[in-house]
Amino acid sequence: MAVPHSSRHWSAVESLTPGDAADLQNRRLREQLDYLAARSDFYKAKFAEHSVDVTRVRTVEDLAGLPFTEKQELRDSLAATPPLGNHVAAEAADIVQIQASSGTTGSPSYVGLTRRDIDVWSELGARALYANGFRPGDRLLHGFGMSKGFVGGIPVVQMAQYMGIVDIPIGAEAGAERLLRVQADQRPGALIGTPNFLAYLAEQAPAILGLRARDLGVRAISVGGEPGGGLPAVRCKLESLWGATSREMLGGTDIACIYWGECEAGDGMHFLSPDLMVAELIDPETDEMVAPVPGAQGELVYTALRRQASPLLRFRTRDHVVVTGTDCACGRTGYKVRCVGRTDDMLIVRGINLFPSAVKQLVSELTPATTGEMRIRVDFEGHSTQKPLMLVVEYSDGLGTEQQDDLRSSIEQRVRSALGVKAAVELVPERTLARPDHVKVNLIERVS
């Protein structure tokens, strides 16, 4: 069990001056590049192909001259050299754990971990969860899926144990009734999962337990795994249902599990770990670096530091974020972001770029007339259309025909006003759209 640095920060690194953080990060970057050049067949070949001399890379800014690592390259590596690909850079005897991505297309991506890698993952996660409000001594109800080796399962358990938190690893696949019964019996004060699933869980509490979720003892909620946890309407719904604070975090399988965390300010997730990773912001159209100043947006690109088994350099995540701030009253000095979606989920409607999460926010703001559940129905190839945006939105029980007409008009007007696109809205009764479990909610529904 590790010990927090202070009552406000898990690690002293979180409050380093920008200059000290950059010096530490640059030193660790040079160490990681030397490691890749010596131990990774994948990067040896990549460096040779692109004429990269790693000894000339001295700072994060120098990364701009290095090639990206794409997800498809990792899939090809795994297929060509099973079980962990030729990007594995540790001896097989040193690998003690293998994690898998969600594998929504084809086989999952497999990631190897050494003992030190697990410690690094746990440290990264501890900083984020501590910012979210979790504390040593807490008990945690685990609302991510526990099965299939996914990163929301065992790695979160390991993070909790590293922090001195008692994890109750029931898992979302156990179902709402099982999770709620355990919550009622054990009364853990901390809860973790995807925002949509935790909202659904709270909504089931009166029918299953005869109690409101807010009466079940939850103090702090950490949400992630899908965009939306930071949307004001979604946060307000979660906090109202559970009577707890709800803060957002962000991560991913290929680099680590959790590594961005929102503090009590509630206005974006801090970058917390310049000593353990590099997070670049790039323009996905030009591939150029973007300075992380307030209002800037782009795609996150990661380089792992102090990583042994499956280290990645300039890995393109396709996560599209907006920078919400560069300073904070909490004392953390890492810039803050809000994830608005994935660049490969972005739609172009009559020439206007649109992220599904923006539509979700507009619909959620119209509760209680709507349940907040919606899907964008896509009947075209790719990401671009000249047609109106087709939305399927749930209306709440008890809404009359005239009120439904008003709701439909209101949604269409709000989408046009806020996003600049025309929408065609189909209203469906409450509980029509499939409710989420531990799987990420896909707001885009492709139809043939």
Side-chain angles (χ1 to χ4, degrees), residues 67-253:
F68 295 112
T69 300
E70 301 281 359
K71 186 72 172 181
Q72 188 58 49
E73 291 181 274
L74 302 183
R75 293 192 185 104
D76 293 343
S77 172
L78 288 161
T81 316
L84 292 174
N86 64 355
H87 57 285
V88 72
E91 298 296 331
D94 294 328
I95 295 173
V96 298
Q97 191 167 314
I98 296 174
Q99 293 297 145
S101 72
S102 55
T104 52
T105 57
S107 296
S109 291
Y110 297 101
V111 177
L113 299 166
T114 65
R115 180 67 258 174
R116 191 178 83 176
D117 290 337
I118 292 172
D119 289 342
V120 168
W121 274 30
S122 295
E123 177 64 22
L124 286 164
R127 296 176 190 179
L129 296 179
Y130 200 78
N132 285 173
F134 290 7
R135 293 293 181 266
D138 279 345
R139 288 182 298 160
L140 169 66
L141 183 65
H142 200 119
F144 282 126
M146 287 297 302
S147 64
K148 303 178 183 178
F150 295 162
V151 291
I154 295 299
V156 172
V157 175
Q158 291 167 326
M159 286 172 200
Q161 293 172 342
Y162 178 83
M163 295 177 71
I165 292 171
V166 178
D167 190 295
I168 306 175
I170 304 301
E173 60 271 61
E177 180 168 358
R178 171 81 167 160
L179 280 162
L180 287 168
R181 295 285 179 195
V182 172
Q183 179 64 45
D185 290 342
Q186 294 293 319
R187 299 282 170 143
L191 177 62
I192 194 168
T194 62
N196 285 287
F197 179 61
L198 296 189
Y200 167 70
L201 195 65
E203 291 167 344
Q204 302 308 301
I208 292 173
L209 300 174
L211 294 169
R212 299 177 303 172
R214 66 182 302 110
D215 297 324
L216 296 176
V218 175
R219 184 197 83 253
I221 299 171
S222 177
V223 295
E226 61 191 12
L231 295 176
V234 174
R235 186 197 305 278
C236 182
K237 181 178 182 179
L238 280 168
E239 293 189 335
S240 176
L241 285 167
W242 285 101
T245 62
S246 179
R247 297 290 176 261
E248 195 175 23
M249 48 75 171
L250 177 68
T253 308

Side-chain angles (χ1 to χ4, degrees), residues 28-68:
R28 290 281 175 84
L29 174 62
R30 293 191 291 269
E31 292 170 358
Q32 188 71 50
L33 286 169
D34 289 343
Y35 182 87
L36 293 177
R39 301 293 298 270
S40 172
D41 291 340
F42 177 87
Y43 282 108
K44 286 179 186 178
K46 203 170 180 70
F47 293 158
E49 178 185 355
H50 294 272
S51 301
V52 172
D53 179 359
V54 297
T55 64
R56 303 188 62 150
V57 179
R58 311 306 296 167
T59 69
V60 168
E61 287 70 26
D62 295 334
L63 289 173
L66 274 60
F68 295 112

